[in-house]
Amino acid sequence: MANNKKRINLNGLITCVFIVAFLLISGCVESGEGATTNELTVGISSDVNNWYLSQFPAGDGRFVWSQIYETLIRLDTDLNIEPGLAESWETPDGGKTWIFHLRDDVYFHDGTPLNADAVVFSYSNESYVKKVGALKALDHVEAVNDSTVKFVMRKSMSLPFYLTHVAWPVMSPNCVDEAGSFISPIGTGPFKFENQVNAQEIVLVRNDNYWDEKSTIDSVVFKVIPEATTRVMALETKEIDMAIKLPEYDVSRLEEEDDIEVYRTLTTFTDFLQFNCNNGAFEDKEVRKAVAYTIDSEELVDTVLEGIGTAANGRAFSPVMMYSDPDLDLYEPDIDRAKQILAEGGWSDSDNDGILDKDGEPLTVKLVVGKGVWASRHTAMAEAIQGSLQEIGMNVDIQVLESAAITSLEKEGNFDILLRTGYFVWGPYPRHFLVHQSAYPFSHYNNSGYDTLSNAADSTVDTDKQQELYYQLQEMVLEELPAFYMVHEEKIVAANSYVKGYEITAEDPWLNLDGVYIEKEQ
């Protein structure tokens, strides 16, 4: 009898083990080709330093925001505008007033419905979009009824393009307490906030009440790995499933690895040299032109960037952007012409030291490069530019500085050239001309004709008229050279081959995880 009891208990134990094992497996995998786990781990370069509408997070925080928060209007992977939280919109007066009709099937992560009051809250005077002046023309937002909201502008403008940017999404008013203090991120997106360990990771879980197609992934873990080389190593050792912002020098090697997929696409961002046109040598347009004729954009792409990107040769708008003129007369490297321009301007090497001078002042300029995730890329570009400009007798002093130090130099006007990228880009809409307007505090370029043209381009909703104006604007940038645009950036995302269904998008703030799943052999 005792032996029978032991046998029964043993059989019961074995049965329980099989049941537990089955439950564990079924909770982690689904049937299909191979086995599918339901957690995606993504390597990013920086943490989310802010979750509230008063400030857009620095660095890669935007990739996390775009999983939690959504915008009234969004972009598909080809940068076409499509409905987001607003299912339709119209302007009754040529862009001065915009009416948005909200979806009626959307709920915030706390279970409260999306309504017009939430949109009004998200575009209050405390919002980042109002404080930084990106929508300075926005007078006010009002709720017409629960599902209709009106944006009243101080001038006509193509507002829908601006509202695609995740920097100003729609948040629940319940993300703050009665005193107005922030509590937690509450959006409408496909994933909900679960946990954050500062400087280490952010954990999001699937929103099972999502209004659109629900994710097949149960959770996404964003691992904060500041160093690009470390992110690559983590990808190769499968510590992470996917990595963004990878260095150009790793791309060709990763593309040869059988178990890694590399995704590449041309983006809306362009690397450019911004000149201080108000002081120093670059106050003279001809000196700026000498730089444009010296820098070889093709060589920068082929050598420094290892073939990643497309040479801009002065073109301000990436080819994937709206109104990018395909027929511009771009700059081609011509060292002899650059030298001739400088000689005609009175620059000569009077003391035979290899550096040109004029009126006793040497042609020595400061090129400022920012630290951060793109420092290695931009420092290498700066060094190549330094070498090229030396050929025409220009001495370049490279300064690699923190963003706060660069801001200080900008305010003081104490710089000659800034190496920039992706400045004021709103999806396909060419908004980054703003940086060259004289009203912009860090412009360091004053041209009333440029101001008039750029304001006119942004103040019409007539697409034919906009194209005409933006074409003129691009020609003016090439002629006046407030900046020399060098390289249209290519975005790189890499993932282990068991990550399926990913489709890369040219719009930087988005990490499109629609349809992504993981298929691993157990």
Side-chain angles (χ1 to χ4, degrees), residues 10 51 57 83 88 103 124 137 142 184 188 201 243 249 265 328 358 364 382 422 464 466 475:
L10 182 59
W51 293 100
S88 63
R103 296 182 183 274
S124 67
E142 60 184 75
S184 63
T188 60
E201 68 177 28
Y249 53 77
T265 190
L328 289 169
K358 180 180 180 181
T364 297
D464 291 336
Q466 272 193 329
E475 291 177 353

Side-chain angles (χ1 to χ4, degrees), residues 139-210:
D139 184 78
H140 67 278
V141 183
E142 60 184 75
V144 178
N145 54 48
D146 268 0
S147 61
T148 309
V149 63
K150 179 193 294 185
F151 283 66
V152 180
M153 315 303 295
R154 295 189 179 92
K155 68 170 188 175
S156 297
M157 64 184 298
S158 297
L159 181 63
F161 288 107
Y162 286 85
L163 300 187
T164 63
H165 203 294
V166 74
W168 31 87
V170 177
M171 299 185 183
S172 169
N174 294 335
C175 68
V176 296
D177 60 22
E178 292 182 357
S181 298
F182 180 74
I183 305 171
S184 63
I186 305 174
T188 60
F191 292 93
K192 302 185 293 185
F193 177 82
E194 175 76 8
N195 184 46
Q196 180 179 22
V197 180
N198 288 336
Q200 293 185 43
E201 68 177 28
I202 306 109
V203 180
L204 311 182
V205 295
R206 183 176 58 214
N207 175 16
D208 287 327
N209 294 317
Y210 187 47

Side-chain angles (χ1 to χ4, degrees), residues 156-426:
S156 297
M157 64 184 298
S158 297
L159 181 63
F161 288 107
Y162 286 85
L163 300 187
T164 63
H165 203 294
V166 74
W168 31 87
V170 177
M171 299 185 183
S172 169
N174 294 335
C175 68
V176 296
D177 60 22
E178 292 182 357
S181 298
F182 180 74
I183 305 171
S184 63
I186 305 174
T188 60
F191 292 93
K192 302 185 293 185
F193 177 82
E194 175 76 8
N195 184 46
Q196 180 179 22
V197 180
N198 288 336
Q200 293 185 43
E201 68 177 28
I202 306 109
V203 180
L204 311 182
V205 295
R206 183 176 58 214
N207 175 16
D208 287 327
N209 294 317
Y210 187 47
W211 61 274
D212 204 354
E213 186 175 349
K214 296 176 181 60
S215 175
T216 57
I217 301 170
D218 287 338
S219 61
V220 182
V221 179
F222 288 93
K223 292 279 188 184
V224 181
I225 308 174
E227 293 295 327
T229 53
T230 309
R231 283 198 301 281
V232 172
M233 290 174 59
L235 180 71
E236 291 178 303
T237 59
K238 298 180 173 49
E239 176 188 341
I240 60 176
D241 305 312
M242 177 182 286
I244 60 177
K245 289 188 177 177
L246 300 183
E248 287 79 10
Y249 53 77
D250 273 324
V251 171
S252 60
R253 181 177 59 80
L254 290 174
E255 286 180 328
E256 292 177 359
E257 296 192 21
D258 293 336
D259 58 348
I260 288 179
E261 294 290 336
V262 176
Y263 302 87
R264 299 168 51 172
T265 190
L266 197 62
T267 76
T268 57
F269 286 6
T270 299
D271 295 317
F272 64 96
L273 295 177
Q274 181 185 336
F275 298 110
N276 185 343
C277 303
N278 293 339
N279 292 297
F282 295 117
E283 192 172 358
D284 183 351
K285 180 177 69 175
E286 296 306 307
V287 179
R288 304 196 296 266
K289 282 194 173 182
V291 171
Y293 280 116
T294 302
I295 294 174
D296 189 335
S297 295
E298 297 281 357
E299 186 176 356
L300 280 177
V301 172
D302 293 341
T303 58
V304 178
L305 302 178
E306 310 224 1
I308 310 300
T310 298
N313 298 313
R315 182 194 289 111
F317 299 166
S318 169
V320 301
M321 297 184 72
M322 295 177 63
Y323 311 128
S324 181
D325 186 349
D327 299 319
L328 289 169
D329 186 13
L330 302 175
Y331 285 92
E332 295 293 339
D334 190 335
I335 296 293
D336 290 338
R337 186 169 183 180
K339 288 179 177 179
Q340 181 183 351
I341 288 172
L342 292 174
E344 291 173 351
W347 293 95
S348 65
D349 185 5
S350 63
D351 54 6
N352 295 314
D353 64 351
I355 301 172
L356 300 181
D357 54 82
K358 180 180 180 181
D359 300 329
E361 292 293 326
L363 189 52
T364 297
V365 300
K366 290 187 290 188
L367 171 55
V368 180
V369 179
K371 290 184 178 179
V373 295
W374 293 127
S376 59
R377 166 196 177 94
H378 282 169
T379 300
M381 290 178 67
E383 289 170 351
I385 292 165
Q386 180 186 51
S388 295
L389 295 179
Q390 189 174 11
E391 292 185 46
I392 61 169
M394 185 178 293
N395 183 43
V396 177
D397 177 22
I398 299 172
Q399 296 180 309
V400 183
L401 303 173
E402 299 285 356
S403 59
I406 293 176
T407 299
S408 178
L409 292 180
E410 286 179 313
K411 287 180 178 178
E412 299 165 1
N414 187 20
F415 72 94
D416 295 305
I417 318 174
L418 294 171
L419 178 50
R420 291 203 183 279
T421 184
Y423 215 58
F424 287 103
V425 174
W426 270 260

Side-chain angles (χ1 to χ4, degrees), residues 433-475:
F433 63 76
L434 172 68
V435 72
H436 305 313
Q437 285 187 339
S438 58
Y440 179 65
F442 300 148
S443 168
H444 301 285
Y445 173 66
N446 294 292
N447 185 322
S448 59
Y450 184 93
D451 294 344
T452 299
L453 185 60
S454 57
N455 283 326
D458 194 42
S459 299
T460 179
V461 295
D462 182 327
T463 55
D464 291 336
K465 183 64 174 176
Q466 272 193 329
Q467 177 170 299
E468 177 187 339
L469 292 170
Y470 280 120
Y471 275 24
Q472 292 179 38
L473 191 69
Q474 290 167 82
E475 291 177 353

Side-chain angles (χ1 to χ4, degrees), residues 108-143:
F108 286 105
H109 296 156
D110 63 353
T112 57
L114 169 71
N115 57 30
D117 288 338
V119 178
V120 173
F121 165 79
S122 299
Y123 288 87
S124 67
N125 288 333
E126 191 179 358
S127 66
Y128 173 71
V129 65
K130 292 295 291 290
K131 290 197 302 184
V132 301
L135 277 186
K136 191 163 48 178
L138 176 59
D139 184 78
H140 67 278
V141 183
E142 60 184 75

